[in-house]
Amino acid sequence: MGIPLAAESETLQSIYRILLDNHGHQYWWPGDTPFEIIVGAVLTQNTAWINVEKAIDNLKQEGVLGLNHLLTLEEERLADLIRPSGYFNVKTRRLKSLCRFIQDMGGVEALDVLDTDALRRELLTVNGVGPETADDILLYAYQRPVFVIDAYTRRLFSRLGVISGDESYEELRLAFQGSLGLKVEIFNEYHALIVRHAKYICTKPPTCENCCLSKKCKNYNI
């Protein structure tokens, strides 16, 4: 097992400051409305964000980036519009399921009246919405203090020696939240910085010579 994150508050905060100093503010999540962010959270599953942007642009150009539009749009047409995001047939079904859920709950704004735990439980009942997607929606669309755990987080903090990498999603999420405090702004920025660093520096294989975290990394020069 890795180091208990509950005892790593100072380490996690130090890593955050270093990443912020080196990469600057990331201004996440790119999206004009909460609904656009919700759609993007589904489309970004198993693909790069640049592909999601192409799919979102297609929906905007077609004038269908709205709850009612997506509900009534034929599946074949929706799949064609979001094709750039990959797995478009699967994501079409997932988007439709999520849109029906939102409609049944009274709309995007109606969901905001639920407390965070209740909203998370409801989102996880939707076909195709797993913990990471639910937490993307909670953090970025509804500004709730939920830390998003993704593959980049596991890669970076495993290499740094903070975690073992085989912890469950919930174990890591709750540990990060407990160590950092429930601060939406920090969760937003930290997750974005992790993605930035893992995409361009802590890659597979890593470019350690360019890493601002090398002094903290257990795997540096190994």
Side-chain angles (χ1 to χ4, degrees):
M1 295 294 293
I3 303 170
L5 279 179
E8 288 294 299
S9 177
E10 185 175 340
T11 297
L12 291 178
Q13 291 178 25
S14 175
I15 291 168
Y16 171 70
R17 289 192 296 270
I18 292 171
L19 290 174
L20 184 60
D21 287 344
N22 279 267
H23 297 304
H25 292 286
Q26 300 301 296
Y27 304 104
W28 266 33
W29 179 307
D32 295 330
T33 66
F35 185 72
E36 182 177 331
I37 293 171
I38 290 169
V39 171
V42 174
L43 296 182
T44 198
Q45 295 171 354
N46 301 305
T47 194
W49 183 254
I50 189 172
N51 299 323
V52 177
E53 289 179 324
K54 294 175 183 176
I56 292 286
D57 285 343
N58 286 345
L59 294 172
K60 286 183 174 180
Q61 289 174 17
E62 194 73 8
V64 295
L65 187 55
L67 179 60
N68 292 332
H69 290 302
L70 292 188
L71 281 168
T72 57
L73 192 65
E74 293 182 357
E75 288 195 8
E76 184 177 351
R77 181 56 180 152
L78 178 55
D80 186 54
L81 290 171
I82 66 171
R83 183 179 294 269
S85 69
Y87 303 98
F88 46 89
N89 288 321
V90 172
K91 290 180 181 179
T92 291
R93 292 192 294 271
R94 291 177 177 178
L95 276 177
K96 287 283 191 178
S97 294
L98 184 53
C99 286
R100 285 192 293 269
F101 162 78
I102 294 171
Q103 183 186 53
D104 291 344
M105 295 293 289
V108 174
E109 293 182 358
L111 291 175
D112 206 14
V113 305
L114 297 176
D115 66 48
T116 300
D117 289 341
L119 180 52
R120 191 172 193 269
R121 286 195 300 271
E122 292 290 348
L123 286 169
L124 289 173
T125 67
V126 181
N127 178 48
V129 176
E132 184 181 335
T133 300
D135 292 342
D136 279 336
I137 293 171
L138 286 166
L139 178 60
Y140 294 109
Y142 290 102
Q143 292 83 52
R144 302 300 180 88
V146 177
F147 199 91
V148 178
I149 303 296
D150 57 13
Y152 292 134
T153 306
R154 290 183 183 275
R155 180 199 301 169
L156 177 59
F157 287 92
S158 294
R159 288 176 175 172
L160 290 170
V162 178
I163 66 174
S164 64
D166 60 0
E167 294 89 348
S168 71
Y169 185 98
E170 286 302 289
E171 183 180 356
L172 289 179
R173 179 179 74 87
L174 294 174
F176 269 84
Q177 290 176 189
S179 296
L180 296 170
L182 300 179
K183 300 177 181 177
V184 172
E185 297 81 5
I186 290 179
F187 288 1
N188 181 316
E189 194 70 70
Y190 208 159
H191 177 232
L193 288 166
I194 290 168
V195 172
R196 169 67 181 268
H197 194 74
K199 281 180 66 175
Y200 299 106
I201 305 295
C202 195
T203 52
K204 297 190 229 178
T207 56
C208 296
E209 64 275 11
N210 299 321
C211 184
C212 58
L213 297 172
S214 59
K215 293 181 179 179
K216 292 183 174 291
C217 187
K218 304 295 183 182
N219 290 299
Y220 181 56
N221 282 336
I222 293 179

